[in-house]
Amino acid sequence: MKTISILTFALFLAVAAPAQPPMTPPAQPPMAPPGQPAFQQRLQAIISRQDAPPAVAAKEPVNYLIRVEWKEPKGDPKFLEVLTTDGNFNLDTIQKTSVKINNNDIPVTLKFNGTLSTLDDQKARLQLFLGRTVPYVTGSYGVGLGTSASYSQLNVGLQSTFIVTFGKSLVIQNDENGEISVLVKRLKD
């Protein structure tokens, strides 16, 4: 029985061994011809490459001023400006006016963020969010001789993506509550 097992194993090795790929040493870089240093050979190989992409001139960084203006039916126009370059921007601030609840001034916050991606010297893609928190009364209750109110805050805003032309104002929202426009200026030295 032991002899049959040994013969089976030997037969298996005889069949399996030729099926294995031969071991090959790792490829060696070509040797420089006599009289030519390896550095010159590598330099010549780099110069003669046909598949290398053409060199692209680096864009000069530029600053952009983004101005958002909103006009409400009753009141003066309001605006905010952000200086940025290509990429993301984010502004969280408090609006000058507030809401009075329980004889307390409750601030209204503003949020302005987005991404500016220039397309060429004249235009860019602007993705933005312009929003604010608005406090509102959720209930009232009696305390002693007076009443008091509880409140919460609602987040409202506009999120959109559009193409802007530098130096030209663009209306991005308009309804009975007012109008919102955006102006992007390319600043030059």
Side-chain angles (χ1 to χ4, degrees), residues 7 23 25 31 47 71 76 90 100 138 144 159 169 177 180:
L7 286 176
M23 295 291 291
M31 298 297 293
I47 292 171
K71 299 173 186 168
D76 295 327
N90 189 16
K100 222 177 218 346
T138 57
Q159 182 163 355
S169 183
N177 295 319
I180 301 173

Side-chain angles (χ1 to χ4, degrees), residues 13-149:
L13 286 178
V15 172
Q20 297 295 322
M23 295 291 291
T24 58
Q28 296 292 325
M31 298 297 293
Q36 185 180 19
F39 170 77
Q40 286 180 342
Q41 183 183 10
R42 287 192 306 255
L43 181 61
Q44 184 63 35
I46 292 170
I47 292 171
S48 65
R49 283 187 71 189
Q50 299 298 318
D51 61 344
V56 177
K59 285 187 355 182
E60 186 70 27
V62 177
N63 286 322
Y64 299 92
L65 181 70
I66 303 174
R67 178 185 173 100
V68 175
E69 186 172 321
W70 58 98
K71 299 173 186 168
E72 297 172 353
K74 298 176 184 175
D76 295 327
K78 295 178 177 67
F79 71 93
L80 59 87
E81 294 179 338
V82 173
L83 183 67
T84 188
T85 188
D86 277 351
N88 299 329
F89 58 90
N90 189 16
L91 173 68
D92 289 310
T93 188
I94 296 176
Q95 194 170 327
K96 187 176 179 180
T97 59
S98 58
V99 175
K100 222 177 218 346
I101 299 176
N102 297 336
N103 291 325
N104 295 317
D105 287 328
I106 309 300
V108 174
T109 63
L110 289 174
K111 183 168 186 72
F112 180 49
N113 62 37
T115 304
L116 179 71
S117 305
T118 57
L119 300 173
D120 57 34
D121 288 344
Q122 302 297 317
K123 295 184 178 194
R125 176 179 294 110
L126 181 61
Q127 176 275 320
L128 67 76
F129 173 77
L130 177 64
R132 61 183 166 182
T133 58
V134 180
Y136 65 97
V137 175
T138 57
S140 61
Y141 52 92
V143 177
L145 299 174
T147 61
S148 188

